[in-house]
Amino acid sequence: MAQKKAVIIRTDGTIEHVLIDGLADMQKAVGGLIEMAGRIGGSDMYANEEGIIMGLAPNLKATALRNQTGLWSPYPIHGDVLLIGGDDETGDTVDVSEKAVMMAERL
């Protein structure tokens, strides 16, 4: 996979622009196994599958962003979150959408 533009939403609320080159980079971005936590502005949101078990801090910014999209949950996402694009037709990973970046930065 060629490098794709992505955004990490850190638990302290900061946004980091990164390049991701495959599953290992995605896992590194969230600090472990990944699970899809939502879809934001045409991009996929991935969190650490074991964030609660590992005692990772709640990610209030990512949780608020997820809850705005209709995937509301009373339970916060724990740990850093990765936003990266996904092509619905091919299943390929693509660059994060500008809409998703703007939504994350505005919160």
Side-chain angles (χ1 to χ4, degrees):
M1 168 171 118
Q3 290 186 329
K4 304 299 179 194
K5 295 177 187 175
V7 168
I8 299 173
I9 304 173
R10 301 282 182 200
T11 55
D12 66 3
T14 59
I15 303 288
E16 182 181 342
H17 295 261
V18 296
L19 294 174
I20 297 292
D21 189 13
L23 177 61
D25 282 354
M26 294 172 74
Q27 290 174 328
K28 183 178 177 185
V30 301
L33 301 175
I34 61 170
E35 70 175 339
M36 190 157 172
R39 188 144 171 88
I40 311 299
S43 291
D44 299 329
M45 174 185 273
Y46 291 97
N48 187 313
E49 184 176 295
E50 298 176 325
I52 294 173
I53 295 168
M54 294 172 66
L56 300 179
N59 191 322
L60 301 180
K61 186 172 203 164
T63 299
L65 195 57
R66 177 204 59 202
N67 288 350
Q68 288 179 359
T69 66
L71 291 174
W72 188 88
S73 171
Y75 304 105
I77 297 170
H78 288 256
D80 294 334
V81 167
L82 176 70
L83 291 178
I84 193 164
D87 186 312
D88 289 337
E89 291 185 23
T90 64
D92 292 338
T93 301
V94 297
D95 290 339
V96 65
S97 72
E98 287 300 317
K99 182 176 181 180
V101 173
M102 287 186 350
M103 289 173 73
E105 289 177 341
R106 285 186 187 164
L107 215 78

Coordinates of all heavy atoms in Angstrom, one line a residue:
M1 N 0.9 -1.2 0.0 CA 0.0 0.0 0.0 C 0.9 1.2 0.0 O 1.8 1.3 0.8 CB -0.9 0.0 1.3 CG -1.6 1.2 1.6 SD -2.8 1.0 2.9 CE -2.2 2.1 4.1
A2 N 0.6 2.2 -0.8 CA 1.3 3.4 -0.9 C 0.9 4.3 0.4 O -0.2 4.1 0.9 CB 1.0 4.2 -2.1
Q3 N 1.7 5.2 0.8 CA 1.4 6.0 1.9 C 0.1 6.8 1.7 O -0.1 7.4 0.6 CB 2.5 6.9 2.3 CG 3.7 6.2 2.8 CD 4.8 7.2 3.2 OE1 5.0 8.3 2.7 NE2 5.6 6.8 4.2
K4 N -0.7 6.8 2.7 CA -2.0 7.6 2.7 C -2.0 8.7 3.7 O -1.5 8.4 4.9 CB -3.2 6.6 2.9 CG -3.2 5.5 1.9 CD -3.4 6.0 0.5 CE -3.4 4.8 -0.5 NZ -3.2 5.1 -1.8
K5 N -2.6 9.8 3.4 CA -2.7 10.9 4.4 C -3.8 10.5 5.4 O -4.8 10.0 5.1 CB -3.1 12.2 3.7 CG -2.1 12.7 2.8 CD -2.6 14.0 2.1 CE -1.7 14.4 1.0 NZ -2.2 15.6 0.3
A6 N -3.5 10.7 6.7 CA -4.4 10.4 7.8 C -4.2 11.4 8.9 O -3.3 12.3 8.9 CB -4.1 9.0 8.3
V7 N -5.1 11.3 9.9 CA -5.1 12.2 11.0 C -5.2 11.4 12.3 O -6.0 10.4 12.3 CB -6.2 13.2 10.9 CG1 -6.4 14.0 12.2 CG2 -6.0 14.2 9.8
I8 N -4.4 11.7 13.3 CA -4.6 11.1 14.6 C -5.2 12.1 15.5 O -4.7 13.2 15.6 CB -3.2 10.6 15.2 CG1 -2.6 9.5 14.2 CG2 -3.4 10.0 16.6 CD1 -1.2 9.1 14.6
I9 N -6.2 11.7 16.2 CA -6.8 12.5 17.2 C -6.3 12.0 18.6 O -6.6 10.9 19.0 CB -8.4 12.5 17.2 CG1 -8.9 12.9 15.9 CG2 -8.9 13.4 18.3 CD1 -10.4 12.8 15.7
R10 N -5.4 12.8 19.2 CA -4.8 12.3 20.5 C -5.8 12.5 21.6 O -6.7 13.3 21.6 CB -3.5 13.1 20.7 CG -2.5 13.0 19.6 CD -1.7 11.7 19.7 NE -0.7 11.6 18.7 CZ -0.2 10.4 18.3 NH1 -0.6 9.3 18.9 NH2 0.7 10.4 17.4
T11 N -5.5 11.8 22.7 CA -6.4 11.9 23.9 C -6.4 13.3 24.5 O -7.4 13.7 25.2 CB -6.1 10.8 24.9 OG1 -4.7 11.0 25.3 CG2 -6.3 9.4 24.4
D12 N -5.4 14.1 24.3 CA -5.3 15.4 24.8 C -6.0 16.4 23.9 O -6.0 17.6 24.1 CB -3.9 15.9 25.1 CG -3.0 16.0 23.8 OD1 -3.6 15.8 22.7 OD2 -1.8 16.3 23.9
G13 N -6.6 15.9 22.8 CA -7.4 16.8 21.9 C -6.6 17.3 20.7 O -7.2 17.9 19.8
T14 N -5.3 17.1 20.7 CA -4.5 17.6 19.6 C -4.7 16.7 18.3 O -5.1 15.5 18.4 CB -3.0 17.7 19.9 OG1 -2.6 16.3 20.3 CG2 -2.8 18.6 21.0
I15 N -4.5 17.3 17.2 CA -4.6 16.7 15.9 C -3.2 16.6 15.3 O -2.5 17.5 15.2 CB -5.5 17.5 14.9 CG1 -6.9 17.8 15.5 CG2 -5.6 16.9 13.6 CD1 -7.8 16.6 15.6
E16 N -2.9 15.4 14.8 CA -1.6 15.2 14.2 C -1.8 14.6 12.8 O -2.5 13.6 12.6 CB -0.8 14.2 15.0 CG 0.6 13.9 14.5 CD 1.4 12.9 15.3 OE1 1.0 12.7 16.5 OE2 2.4 12.4 14.8
H17 N -1.2 15.3 11.8 CA -1.3 14.8 10.4 C -0.1 13.8 10.2 O 1.0 14.2 10.5 CB -1.2 16.0 9.4 CG -2.4 16.9 9.5 ND1 -3.4 16.9 8.7 CD2 -2.7 17.9 10.4 CE1 -4.3 17.8 9.0 NE2 -3.9 18.4 10.1
V18 N -0.5 12.6 9.6 CA 0.5 11.6 9.5 C 0.4 10.9 8.1 O -0.7 11.1 7.4 CB 0.4 10.5 10.6 CG1 0.7 11.1 12.0 CG2 -0.9 9.9 10.6
L19 N 1.4 10.1 7.7 CA 1.3 9.3 6.6 C 1.2 7.8 7.1 O 2.0 7.4 7.9 CB 2.5 9.5 5.6 CG 2.6 10.9 5.0 CD1 3.9 11.0 4.2 CD2 1.4 11.1 4.0
I20 N 0.3 7.1 6.5 CA 0.1 5.7 6.9 C 0.4 4.7 5.8 O 0.0 5.0 4.7 CB -1.4 5.4 7.4 CG1 -1.7 6.3 8.6 CG2 -1.6 4.0 7.7 CD1 -0.9 5.9 9.9
D21 N 1.2 3.7 6.0 CA 1.6 2.7 5.0 C 1.3 1.3 5.5 O 2.2 0.5 5.8 CB 3.1 2.9 4.7 CG 3.5 2.1 3.4 OD1 2.6 1.6 2.7 OD2 4.7 1.9 3.2
G22 N 0.0 1.0 5.6 CA -0.4 -0.4 5.9 C -0.9 -0.6 7.3 O -0.9 0.4 8.1
L23 N -1.3 -1.8 7.6 CA -1.9 -2.2 8.9 C -0.9 -1.9 10.1 O -1.4 -1.4 11.1 CB -2.3 -3.7 8.9 CG -2.8 -4.2 10.2 CD1 -4.1 -3.5 10.6 CD2 -3.1 -5.7 10.0
A24 N 0.3 -2.2 9.9 CA 1.3 -2.0 11.0 C 1.3 -0.5 11.4 O 1.3 -0.2 12.6 CB 2.7 -2.4 10.7
D25 N 1.3 0.4 10.5 CA 1.2 1.8 10.8 C -0.1 2.2 11.4 O -0.1 3.1 12.3 CB 1.4 2.7 9.5 CG 2.9 2.8 9.1 OD1 3.8 2.3 9.8 OD2 3.1 3.4 8.0
M26 N -1.2 1.6 11.0 CA -2.5 1.9 11.6 C -2.5 1.5 13.1 O -3.0 2.2 13.9 CB -3.6 1.2 10.8 CG -3.8 1.8 9.4 SD -4.9 0.8 8.4 CE -6.5 1.3 9.1
Q27 N -2.0 0.3 13.3 CA -1.9 -0.2 14.7 C -1.0 0.6 15.6 O -1.3 0.9 16.7 CB -1.4 -1.7 14.7 CG -2.5 -2.6 14.1 CD -2.0 -4.0 14.0 OE1 -0.8 -4.3 13.7 NE2 -2.9 -5.0 14.1
K28 N 0.1 1.1 15.0 CA 1.1 1.9 15.7 C 0.4 3.3 16.1 O 0.6 3.8 17.2 CB 2.3 2.2 14.9 CG 3.3 3.1 15.6 CD 4.6 3.2 14.7 CE 5.6 4.1 15.4 NZ 6.7 4.5 14.6
A29 N -0.5 3.8 15.2 CA -1.1 5.1 15.4 C -2.1 5.0 16.6 O -2.2 6.0 17.4 CB -1.9 5.5 14.2
V30 N -2.7 3.8 16.9 CA -3.6 3.7 18.0 C -3.0 2.9 19.2 O -3.7 2.7 20.2 CB -5.0 3.1 17.6 CG1 -5.7 3.9 16.5 CG2 -4.9 1.7 17.1
G31 N -1.8 2.5 19.0 CA -1.2 1.8 20.1 C -1.6 0.3 20.3 O -1.5 -0.2 21.4
G32 N -2.0 -0.3 19.3 CA -2.4 -1.7 19.4 C -3.4 -2.2 18.3 O -3.4 -1.6 17.2
L33 N -4.2 -3.2 18.6 CA -5.1 -3.8 17.6 C -6.2 -2.7 17.3 O -6.6 -1.9 18.2 CB -5.8 -5.0 18.2 CG -4.9 -6.2 18.6 CD1 -5.7 -7.3 19.3 CD2 -4.1 -6.7 17.4
I34 N -6.6 -2.7 16.0 CA -7.5 -1.6 15.6 C -8.9 -2.2 15.5 O -9.1 -3.4 15.2 CB -7.1 -1.0 14.3 CG1 -7.1 -2.0 13.1 CG2 -5.8 -0.2 14.4 CD1 -6.9 -1.4 11.8
E35 N -9.9 -1.3 15.7 CA -11.3 -1.7 15.4 C -11.9 -0.4 14.9 O -11.6 0.7 15.3 CB -12.0 -2.2 16.6 CG -12.3 -1.1 17.7 CD -13.2 -1.7 18.8 OE1 -13.9 -2.7 18.6 OE2 -13.1 -1.1 19.9
M36 N -12.9 -0.6 14.0 CA -13.6 0.6 13.5 C -14.5 1.2 14.5 O -15.3 0.4 15.1 CB -14.3 0.2 12.2 CG -14.8 1.4 11.4 SD -15.1 1.0 9.7 CE -15.9 2.4 9.2
A37 N -14.4 2.5 14.7 CA -15.2 3.1 15.8 C -16.3 4.1 15.2 O -17.1 4.6 15.9 CB -14.3 3.9 16.7
G38 N -16.2 4.2 13.9 CA -17.2 5.1 13.2 C -16.8 5.5 11.8 O -15.7 5.1 11.4
R39 N -17.6 6.3 11.2 CA -17.3 6.8 9.9 C -17.6 8.3 9.9 O -18.7 8.7 10.3 CB -18.2 6.1 8.8 CG -17.8 6.5 7.4 CD -17.9 5.3 6.5 NE -17.8 5.7 5.1 CZ -16.6 5.7 4.5 NH1 -15.5 5.4 5.1 NH2 -16.5 6.1 3.2
I40 N -16.6 9.1 9.7 CA -16.7 10.6 9.8 C -16.4 11.3 8.5 O -15.3 11.1 8.0 CB -15.7 11.1 10.9 CG1 -15.7 10.2 12.1 CG2 -15.8 12.5 11.1 CD1 -17.1 10.3 12.9
G41 N -17.3 12.0 8.0 CA -17.1 12.8 6.8 C -16.5 12.0 5.6 O -15.6 12.5 4.9
G42 N -17.0 10.8 5.4 CA -16.5 9.9 4.3 C -15.2 9.2 4.7 O -14.6 8.6 3.8
S43 N -14.7 9.3 5.9 CA -13.5 8.6 6.3 C -13.8 7.7 7.5 O -14.7 7.8 8.2 CB -12.4 9.6 6.7 OG -11.9 10.3 5.5
D44 N -12.9 6.7 7.6 CA -13.1 5.7 8.7 C -12.3 6.1 10.0 O -11.3 6.7 9.9 CB -12.6 4.3 8.3 CG -13.3 3.8 7.1 OD1 -14.5 4.1 6.9 OD2 -12.7 3.1 6.3
M45 N -12.9 5.9 11.1 CA -12.4 6.2 12.4 C -12.0 4.8 13.1 O -12.8 4.0 13.2 CB -13.4 6.9 13.3 CG -12.9 7.2 14.7 SD -14.3 7.9 15.7 CE -14.0 9.6 15.3
Y46 N -10.7 4.7 13.4 CA -10.2 3.5 14.0 C -9.7 3.8 15.4 O -9.0 4.8 15.6 CB -9.1 2.9 13.2 CG -9.5 2.3 11.9 CD1 -9.4 3.0 10.7 CD2 -10.1 1.0 11.9 CE1 -9.8 2.5 9.5 CE2 -10.5 0.5 10.7 CZ -10.4 1.2 9.5 OH -10.8 0.7 8.3
A47 N -10.0 2.9 16.4 CA -9.6 3.1 17.8 C -8.9 1.8 18.2 O -8.9 0.8 17.5 CB -10.8 3.3 18.7
N48 N -8.2 1.8 19.3 CA -7.6 0.7 19.9 C -8.7 -0.3 20.4 O -9.5 0.1 21.3 CB -6.6 1.1 21.0 CG -5.8 -0.1 21.5 OD1 -6.3 -1.2 21.8 ND2 -4.5 0.1 21.7
E49 N -8.7 -1.5 19.9 CA -9.7 -2.5 20.3 C -9.7 -2.8 21.8 O -10.7 -3.1 22.4 CB -9.4 -3.8 19.5 CG -10.4 -4.9 19.7 CD -10.1 -6.1 18.8 OE1 -10.2 -5.9 17.6 OE2 -9.8 -7.1 19.4
E50 N -8.5 -2.6 22.4 CA -8.4 -3.0 23.9 C -8.2 -1.7 24.7 O -7.6 -1.8 25.8 CB -7.3 -4.0 24.0 CG -7.5 -5.3 23.3 CD -6.4 -6.3 23.4 OE1 -5.2 -5.8 23.4 OE2 -6.7 -7.4 23.5
G51 N -8.6 -0.5 24.2 CA -8.3 0.7 24.9 C -8.8 0.8 26.3 O -8.1 1.2 27.2
I52 N -10.0 0.2 26.6 CA -10.5 0.2 28.0 C -9.7 -0.7 28.8 O -9.2 -0.4 29.9 CB -12.0 -0.1 28.0 CG1 -12.8 1.0 27.3 CG2 -12.5 -0.3 29.5 CD1 -14.3 0.6 27.2
I53 N -9.4 -1.9 28.3 CA -8.7 -3.0 29.1 C -7.3 -2.5 29.4 O -6.8 -2.7 30.5 CB -8.6 -4.3 28.3 CG1 -10.0 -4.8 28.1 CG2 -7.7 -5.3 28.9 CD1 -10.1 -6.0 27.1
M54 N -6.7 -1.7 28.5 CA -5.3 -1.2 28.7 C -5.2 0.0 29.6 O -4.2 0.5 29.9 CB -4.7 -0.9 27.3 CG -4.5 -2.1 26.4 SD -3.9 -1.7 24.7 CE -2.3 -1.0 25.0
G55 N -6.4 0.5 29.9 CA -6.4 1.7 30.8 C -6.1 3.0 30.1 O -5.6 3.9 30.7
L56 N -6.3 3.0 28.7 CA -6.0 4.2 28.0 C -7.0 5.3 28.4 O -8.2 5.1 28.7 CB -6.1 4.0 26.5 CG -5.1 2.9 26.0 CD1 -5.3 2.7 24.5 CD2 -3.6 3.3 26.3
A57 N -6.5 6.6 28.3 CA -7.4 7.7 28.6 C -8.5 7.8 27.7 O -8.4 7.5 26.5 CB -6.5 9.0 28.6
P58 N -9.7 8.3 28.1 CA -10.8 8.6 27.2 C -10.4 9.7 26.2 O -9.6 10.6 26.5 CB -11.9 9.1 28.1 CG -11.5 8.7 29.5 CD -10.0 8.6 29.5
N59 N -10.9 9.5 25.0 CA -10.6 10.5 23.9 C -11.9 11.3 23.7 O -12.8 10.9 22.9 CB -10.2 9.8 22.7 CG -9.7 10.8 21.6 OD1 -10.2 11.9 21.5 ND2 -8.6 10.4 20.9
L60 N -12.1 12.4 24.5 CA -13.4 13.1 24.4 C -13.6 13.8 23.1 O -14.8 13.8 22.7 CB -13.4 14.1 25.6 CG -13.2 13.5 27.0 CD1 -13.2 14.6 28.0 CD2 -14.2 12.5 27.3
K61 N -12.6 14.2 22.4 CA -12.8 14.9 21.1 C -13.3 13.8 20.1 O -14.2 14.1 19.4 CB -11.5 15.5 20.7 CG -11.6 16.3 19.4 CD -10.4 17.1 19.1 CE -10.7 18.3 18.2 NZ -9.6 19.2 18.2
A62 N -12.6 12.7 20.0 CA -13.0 11.6 19.1 C -14.4 11.1 19.4 O -15.2 10.8 18.5 CB -12.0 10.5 19.1
T63 N -14.7 11.0 20.7 CA -16.0 10.5 21.1 C -17.1 11.5 20.7 O -18.2 11.1 20.1 CB -16.1 10.3 22.7 OG1 -15.1 9.3 23.0 CG2 -17.5 9.9 23.1
A64 N -16.9 12.8 20.9 CA -17.9 13.8 20.5 C -18.0 13.8 19.0 O -19.2 13.9 18.4 CB -17.4 15.2 20.9
L65 N -17.0 13.6 18.2 CA -17.0 13.5 16.8 C -17.8 12.3 16.3 O -18.7 12.4 15.5 CB -15.6 13.4 16.2 CG -15.4 13.7 14.8 CD1 -15.9 15.1 14.3 CD2 -13.9 13.6 14.4
R66 N -17.6 11.2 16.9 CA -18.4 9.9 16.6 C -19.8 10.2 16.9 O -20.7 9.8 16.1 CB -17.8 8.8 17.4 CG -18.7 7.5 17.2 CD -18.6 6.5 18.3 NE -19.0 7.1 19.6 CZ -18.7 6.6 20.8 NH1 -17.9 5.5 20.8 NH2 -19.2 7.1 21.9
N67 N -20.1 10.7 18.1 CA -21.5 10.9 18.5 C -22.3 11.9 17.6 O -23.5 11.7 17.5 CB -21.6 11.4 19.9 CG -21.2 10.3 20.9 OD1 -21.1 9.1 20.5 ND2 -21.0 10.6 22.2
Q68 N -21.6 12.8 16.9 CA -22.2 13.7 16.0 C -22.7 13.0 14.7 O -23.5 13.6 14.0 CB -21.3 14.9 15.6 CG -21.1 15.8 16.7 CD -20.1 16.9 16.3 OE1 -19.6 17.0 15.2 NE2 -19.8 17.9 17.2
T69 N -22.2 11.9 14.4 CA -22.5 11.2 13.2 C -23.7 10.2 13.2 O -23.9 9.6 12.3 CB -21.3 10.4 12.7 OG1 -21.0 9.4 13.6 CG2 -20.1 11.3 12.5
G70 N -24.3 10.2 14.4 CA -25.4 9.2 14.5 C -25.0 7.9 15.1 O -25.9 7.0 15.3
L71 N -23.8 7.7 15.4 CA -23.3 6.5 16.1 C -23.2 6.8 17.6 O -22.2 6.5 18.2 CB -22.0 6.0 15.5 CG -22.1 5.5 14.1 CD1 -20.7 5.1 13.6 CD2 -22.9 4.2 14.1
W72 N -24.1 7.4 18.2 CA -24.1 7.9 19.6 C -23.9 6.7 20.5 O -24.6 5.7 20.3 CB -25.3 8.7 19.9 CG -25.1 9.3 21.3 CD1 -24.6 10.5 21.6 CD2 -25.5 8.8 22.5 NE1 -24.6 10.7 22.9 CE2 -25.2 9.7 23.5 CE3 -26.1 7.6 22.9 CZ2 -25.4 9.4 24.9 CZ3 -26.4 7.3 24.2 CH2 -26.0 8.3 25.2
S73 N -23.1 6.9 21.5 CA -22.9 5.9 22.6 C -22.6 6.6 23.9 O -21.9 7.6 23.8 CB -21.8 4.9 22.2 OG -21.5 4.1 23.3
P74 N -23.1 6.1 25.0 CA -22.8 6.8 26.3 C -21.3 6.4 26.7 O -20.8 7.0 27.6 CB -23.8 6.2 27.2 CG -24.1 4.8 26.7 CD -24.1 5.0 25.2
Y75 N -20.7 5.5 26.0 CA -19.4 5.1 26.4 C -18.3 5.8 25.5 O -18.4 5.8 24.3 CB -19.2 3.6 26.2 CG -20.3 2.8 27.0 CD1 -21.4 2.2 26.4 CD2 -20.2 2.8 28.4 CE1 -22.3 1.6 27.1 CE2 -21.2 2.1 29.2 CZ -22.2 1.6 28.5 OH -23.2 0.9 29.3
P76 N -17.3 6.4 26.2 CA -16.3 7.1 25.4 C -15.3 6.1 24.7 O -15.1 5.0 25.1 CB -15.5 7.9 26.5 CG -15.7 7.1 27.7 CD -17.1 6.5 27.6
I77 N -14.7 6.6 23.6 CA -13.6 5.9 23.0 C -12.4 6.1 23.9 O -12.2 7.2 24.4 CB -13.4 6.5 21.6 CG1 -14.6 6.3 20.7 CG2 -12.1 5.9 21.0 CD1 -14.5 7.0 19.4
H78 N -11.6 5.1 24.0 CA -10.4 5.2 24.9 C -9.1 5.1 24.0 O -9.0 4.2 23.1 CB -10.3 4.1 25.9 CG -11.3 4.4 27.0 ND1 -10.9 4.9 28.2 CD2 -12.6 4.2 27.1 CE1 -12.0 5.0 29.0 NE2 -13.1 4.6 28.3
G79 N -8.2 6.0 24.2 CA -6.9 6.0 23.4 C -7.0 6.9 22.2 O -8.0 7.5 21.9
D80 N -5.8 7.0 21.5 CA -5.7 7.8 20.3 C -6.6 7.2 19.2 O -6.8 6.0 19.2 CB -4.3 7.9 19.9 CG -3.4 8.7 20.8 OD1 -4.0 9.5 21.6 OD2 -2.2 8.4 20.9
V81 N -7.1 8.0 18.3 CA -7.9 7.6 17.2 C -7.3 8.0 15.9 O -6.8 9.1 15.7 CB -9.3 8.2 17.4 CG1 -10.2 8.0 16.1 CG2 -10.0 7.5 18.6
L82 N -7.4 7.1 14.9 CA -6.9 7.3 13.5 C -8.1 7.6 12.6 O -9.1 6.8 12.6 CB -6.1 6.1 13.1 CG -5.6 6.2 11.6 CD1 -4.5 7.2 11.5 CD2 -5.1 4.8 11.2
L83 N -8.0 8.7 11.8 CA -9.0 8.9 10.7 C -8.2 8.7 9.4 O -7.2 9.3 9.2 CB -9.5 10.4 10.8 CG -10.4 10.8 11.9 CD1 -10.8 12.3 11.8 CD2 -11.6 9.9 11.9
I84 N -8.8 7.8 8.6 CA -8.2 7.5 7.3 C -9.3 7.2 6.3 O -10.3 6.6 6.8 CB -7.1 6.4 7.4 CG1 -6.3 6.4 6.1 CG2 -7.7 5.1 7.8 CD1 -5.0 5.6 6.3
G85 N -9.1 7.5 5.1 CA -10.2 7.2 4.1 C -10.3 5.8 3.8 O -9.4 5.0 3.9
G86 N -11.5 5.4 3.3 CA -11.8 4.1 2.9 C -12.7 4.1 1.7 O -13.7 4.8 1.7
D87 N -12.4 3.4 0.6 CA -13.2 3.3 -0.6 C -14.2 2.3 -0.4 O -13.9 1.1 -0.3 CB -12.3 3.0 -1.8 CG -13.0 3.1 -3.1 OD1 -14.1 2.5 -3.2 OD2 -12.5 3.7 -4.0
D88 N -15.5 2.7 -0.4 CA -16.6 1.7 -0.1 C -16.7 0.6 -1.2 O -17.1 -0.5 -0.9 CB -17.9 2.4 0.0 CG -18.0 3.2 1.3 OD1 -17.3 2.9 2.3 OD2 -18.8 4.2 1.3
E89 N -16.4 1.0 -2.4 CA -16.5 0.0 -3.6 C -15.4 -1.0 -3.6 O -15.6 -2.2 -3.9 CB -16.6 0.8 -4.9 CG -18.0 1.6 -5.0 CD -18.1 2.2 -6.3 OE1 -17.5 1.7 -7.3 OE2 -18.9 3.2 -6.4
T90 N -14.2 -0.5 -3.4 CA -13.0 -1.5 -3.5 C -12.5 -2.0 -2.2 O -11.8 -3.0 -2.2 CB -11.9 -0.7 -4.2 OG1 -11.4 0.3 -3.4 CG2 -12.3 -0.2 -5.6
G91 N -12.8 -1.3 -1.1 CA -12.3 -1.7 0.2 C -10.9 -1.2 0.4 O -10.3 -1.5 1.5
D92 N -10.4 -0.4 -0.5 CA -9.0 0.1 -0.4 C -8.9 1.2 0.6 O -9.9 2.0 0.8 CB -8.5 0.6 -1.7 CG -8.3 -0.5 -2.8 OD1 -8.1 -1.6 -2.3 OD2 -8.3 -0.2 -4.0
T93 N -7.8 1.4 1.2 CA -7.5 2.5 2.1 C -7.1 3.7 1.2 O -6.3 3.5 0.3 CB -6.4 2.2 3.1 OG1 -6.9 1.1 3.9 CG2 -6.1 3.4 4.0
V94 N -7.6 4.9 1.5 CA -7.3 6.1 0.7 C -7.0 7.2 1.7 O -7.2 7.1 2.9 CB -8.5 6.4 -0.3 CG1 -8.7 5.3 -1.3 CG2 -9.8 6.7 0.5
D95 N -6.6 8.4 1.1 CA -6.4 9.5 1.9 C -7.6 9.9 2.7 O -8.8 9.8 2.3 CB -6.0 10.7 1.1 CG -4.6 10.6 0.4 OD1 -3.8 9.8 0.9 OD2 -4.3 11.3 -0.5
V96 N -7.4 10.4 3.9 CA -8.5 11.0 4.8 C -9.2 12.1 4.0 O -8.5 12.8 3.3 CB -8.0 11.4 6.1 CG1 -7.0 12.6 6.0 CG2 -9.1 11.8 7.1
S97 N -10.5 12.2 4.1 CA -11.2 13.3 3.4 C -11.0 14.6 4.0 O -10.8 14.7 5.3 CB -12.7 13.0 3.3 OG -13.3 13.1 4.6
E98 N -11.0 15.7 3.2 CA -10.8 17.0 3.8 C -12.0 17.3 4.7 O -11.8 18.0 5.7 CB -10.8 18.0 2.6 CG -9.5 18.0 1.8 CD -8.3 18.3 2.7 OE1 -8.4 19.2 3.5 OE2 -7.3 17.6 2.5
K99 N -13.2 16.8 4.4 CA -14.3 17.0 5.3 C -14.1 16.4 6.7 O -14.3 17.1 7.7 CB -15.6 16.4 4.7 CG -16.8 16.6 5.5 CD -18.1 16.0 4.9 CE -19.3 16.3 5.7 NZ -20.5 15.8 5.1
A100 N -13.5 15.2 6.8 CA -13.2 14.6 8.1 C -12.2 15.4 8.8 O -12.3 15.6 10.0 CB -12.7 13.2 7.9
V101 N -11.2 15.9 8.1 CA -10.1 16.7 8.8 C -10.7 18.0 9.3 O -10.5 18.4 10.5 CB -9.0 17.1 7.8 CG1 -8.0 18.1 8.4 CG2 -8.3 15.8 7.3
M102 N -11.6 18.7 8.5 CA -12.2 19.9 9.0 C -13.1 19.7 10.2 O -13.1 20.5 11.1 CB -13.0 20.6 7.8 CG -12.1 21.2 6.8 SD -12.9 22.1 5.5 CE -14.7 21.8 5.6
M103 N -13.9 18.6 10.2 CA -14.7 18.2 11.3 C -13.9 18.0 12.6 O -14.3 18.5 13.6 CB -15.6 17.0 11.0 CG -16.6 17.2 9.9 SD -17.4 15.7 9.4 CE -18.4 15.4 10.9
A104 N -12.8 17.3 12.5 CA -12.0 17.1 13.6 C -11.3 18.3 14.1 O -11.2 18.6 15.3 CB -10.9 16.0 13.3
E105 N -10.9 19.2 13.2 CA -10.2 20.4 13.6 C -11.2 21.5 14.2 O -10.8 22.3 15.0 CB -9.4 21.0 12.5 CG -8.2 20.2 12.1 CD -7.4 20.7 10.9 OE1 -8.0 21.5 10.1 OE2 -6.3 20.3 10.8
R106 N -12.4 21.4 13.8 CA -13.4 22.4 14.3 C -13.9 22.1 15.7 O -14.4 23.0 16.4 CB -14.6 22.5 13.4 CG -14.3 23.2 12.1 CD -15.6 23.3 11.3 NE -15.3 23.9 10.0 CZ -16.1 23.8 9.0 NH1 -17.3 23.3 9.1 NH2 -15.7 24.4 7.8
L107 N -13.8 20.9 16.1 CA -14.4 20.5 17.4 C -13.5 21.0 18.6 O -12.4 21.1 18.5 CB -14.4 19.0 17.5 CG -15.6 18.4 18.3 CD1 -16.8 18.5 17.4 CD2 -15.4 17.0 18.7

